[in-house]
Amino acid sequence: MITAEEKRVASLFKWLMQGVSYAVFMAGIAYFSVLPVYEHVDPSKAVIKLAFNHAGELKEKCRRLTPEEIQKLAPNMRRQTQCGRERLPIEVELYLDDQLLYRASAPPSGLWGDGTSTVYQRFVVTPGSHLLTVRLRDSYRTDSFDFEHSERIELRARQNFVVGFRPETGGFSFD
Amino acid sequence: MGSLKRALRFLFQRVEYSFDAFFGPALNPFVNLGSLGWFFYWIVAASGVYLYIFFDTGMVQAYDSIEQITNVQWYAGGVMRSLHRYASDALVVVIILHLVREFSLDRLRGKRWFAWFTGVPLLWFIYACGISGYWMVWDMLAQYIAIVTTEWLDTLPLFGESIASNFLNNASITGRFFTLMVFIHIAIPLFMLFLMWLHIQRLDNARVNPPRALAAGTLISMIVMSLIFPAVSQPPANLDVVPAVVNFDWFYLAIYPLLDVVPGGQLWLAMGAGTLLLILMPWLPPQRNKPPAVVNLDNCNGCRRCVDDCPYSAITMGARTDGALFDGQAVVNASNCVACGICAGACPTATPFRRATDLVPGIELPNFSIASLKEKILESTAQLQGADRVLVIGCENARQVSSSAEPDVGVVTVPCIGMLPPSFIDFVLSRNVADGVFINGCREGDCFNRLGAQWMRQRLAGQRDPYLRRRVPRERIHLCWLGNGRKKRRSRELAAFRVLLRDLAVSNDNGGGKAGG
């Protein structure tokens, strides 16, 4: 036979354990909502980002149409030249202290290959003084690159250094 | 698949029985996971509305406004922000537990596929919502999330230009970005609400509110935690600096570290395949469906009880097709009917006392008729002897008492305990078929067919039609809601019940007389 006192103790114990359950659940929620911390990049390192969009030259050079070809076109569609839509991929190279970090050919976007080429790369490097060289080819040229920039840079730990490309302002930008 | 389900079921049982001891079956958080999910959703929504009033969608103002909310009005805004975060995290926990538990209990196959099918995509929306929320704070964590998320999105062949390029430096971000984030962060929860509504469409009496005591306990503990350990921002975002080490919300971001080791495209593929596999679970392997309930118009008077009691919204009232002068007739939607038989248990014509006509109720299962239930009861009790003869009527989803292990015990198993019309208990006791009836159902609050055990309790207590008649001696009925497991306790309850029956017999012999007979 369970006495009233035993019932009271059992009830108190249940309440206590309910409280403990709520506390453990909420403590778990609060803890894992911020901890443990995650190290995405070694904090003693710096990051170089090579990121830009640029359209390569047209794959086919524009051709002047002959008078006969123009004549065959509908009157409202007549034009002097015919140009292909497809663009060349762009060739990119990035060197850090004469060591190759990245070399790639970025294809043009779009179903017809007529959009811009996109480059987005992230490199984790050691901070300090470095010679950074970047080259880009966007034409049929084979002997050299169309754009090139080389500069000595000072990188701090956790610095985010961006290498961009804006042909309208002269080519590569180091930020 | 079967062994995985069994292992998970065993694990849940162990944990849940421990919680039963402290919370009781009705307040056990594990049997209220779905409704707790709804509850956390509403906490997130209400706190979100409050935060939105004070949130500023400017490049610098976003961070500053949240700092104001957190620090200046810590007693209101700070608590709301913490509730917003903790309830979002708790939502992830309960939803994943809910999914795994329903999988382990096999409550997803056959006609029950719909809730699972509509529930799985909700996971994507919950994550999209949580991640976009962190983005809006525009602290170091937001910066990390912005960069990694857009880099990951760039691996999809959907965008012409890199969207990660928008987060190269501070100059590339404007207030428009935060306006877009606010729109996403509000639009997704609204669509989530629609999906949540869809999720419960094939469930009648869906539990969308947890028991008050459980809700109060959870909310109070969440408020206390918000005061002790408030949610705070990390240093403000600065795109010139790498977010190298960040405090992480592992509930929402656990997948992000994988992106440092697995190519983004492969991770999309794995997650897409995983989602597809989850969605197809109800058909892996396909379940052979039992034939749905059938309506016998000769005995259906259109009383609606089966409509009210069906847990799966499988029965509606339709126009009378036989010309009888009743208001309507029950119509079974075969694609929703899981053949639990609860409708037959609710039918007032399912009574074994009928003699003039065949025992055919207004609605019943074709492969487990009410007439066959009567036959089984008579068969299983025919050989019982003594003063403690017990008829165990048990649910097929709960472990049964073995008739071979227990002398003078007859066992009849039904698809769901809610299928048993109360008049059968009256029949067994008044016709002296057995000395006692032991009702063996699923664990309290956790009926396999959702509402069968609840309706049974209410019918016996005289709170729901069809009632158990008052003349039936309640002391000769034992309700055992233990579900699977707890074999020893079930045996102990049965033994104690039989002792009680013997005592009753002795007192009757001493002049008490047998009640109700």
Side-chain angles (χ1 to χ4, degrees), chain A residues 92-138:
Chain A
V92 188
E93 287 182 1
L94 180 72
Y95 289 86
L96 187 71
D97 300 327
D98 295 328
Q99 189 184 350
L100 182 67
L101 275 187
Y102 180 67
R103 174 184 288 153
S105 172
S109 58
L111 289 173
W112 304 103
D114 57 349
T116 57
S117 299
T118 296
V119 175
Y120 182 94
Q121 291 294 322
R122 188 153 46 96
F123 309 96
V124 178
V125 298
T126 310
S129 179
H130 297 282
L131 180 66
L132 190 67
T133 305
V134 58
R135 298 172 181 145
L136 182 147
R137 184 187 299 123
D138 62 359

Side-chain angles (χ1 to χ4, degrees), chain B residues 130-142:
Chain B
I131 290 167
S132 65
Y134 271 111
W135 209 320
M136 288 164 65
V137 181
W138 205 232
D139 59 358
M140 274 289 177
L141 178 62

Side-chain angles (χ1 to χ4, degrees), chain B residues 312-334:
Chain B
Y312 302 103
S313 300
I315 310 172
T316 50
M317 290 305 289
R320 204 74 200 184
T321 55
D322 62 349
L325 295 174
F326 295 116
D327 284 345
Q329 68 181 53
V331 179
V332 177
N333 178 353

Side-chain angles (χ1 to χ4, degrees), chain B residues 1 20 33 50 73 84 107 114 119 152 154 313 340 352 379 393 416 418 426 437:
Chain B
M1 195 73 82
D20 269 355
L33 289 169
Y50 184 88
Q73 48 160 309
H84 197 63
R107 292 175 180 167
F114 186 79
W152 192 21
D154 277 341
S313 300
C340 61
E379 272 174 31
I393 302 178
C416 173
D426 187 5
V437 178

Side-chain angles (χ1 to χ4, degrees), chain B residues 197-212:
Chain B
W197 169 80
L198 198 63
H199 179 61
I200 56 170
Q201 277 314 291
R202 284 198 176 184
L203 305 177
D204 204 39
N205 286 286
R207 276 189 294 185
V208 292
N209 294 310
R212 278 187 190 172

Side-chain angles (χ1 to χ4, degrees), chain B residues 192-314:
Chain B
M192 252 178 76
L193 188 59
F194 166 71
L195 268 184
M196 287 159 69
W197 169 80
L198 198 63
H199 179 61
I200 56 170
Q201 277 314 291
R202 284 198 176 184
L203 305 177
D204 204 39
N205 286 286
R207 276 189 294 185
V208 292
N209 294 310
R212 278 187 190 172
L214 182 63
T218 313
L219 183 60
I220 290 167
S221 61
M222 208 170 264
I223 292 171
V224 170
M225 189 52 72
S226 300
L227 290 166
I228 297 171
F229 194 68
V232 292
S233 304
Q234 296 181 39
N238 179 0
L239 288 167
D240 294 332
V241 176
V242 178
V245 181
V246 281
N247 288 93
F248 227 53
D249 185 330
W250 292 92
F251 298 104
Y252 281 95
L253 304 172
I255 206 155
Y256 276 54
L258 285 177
L259 288 162
D260 288 338
V261 286
V262 179
Q266 287 182 23
L267 198 56
W268 279 122
L269 209 62
M271 288 179 63
T275 306
L276 190 66
L277 185 70
L278 270 182
I279 286 177
L280 294 176
M281 278 294 176
W283 299 278
L284 297 175
Q287 190 180 45
R288 181 182 288 179
N289 290 321
K290 293 176 187 167
V294 289
V295 176
N296 306 302
L297 280 184
D298 289 345
N299 293 299
C300 174
N301 61 8
C303 70
R304 281 191 62 92
R305 285 174 193 164
C306 54
V307 177
D308 293 340
D309 281 10
C310 176
Y312 302 103
S313 300

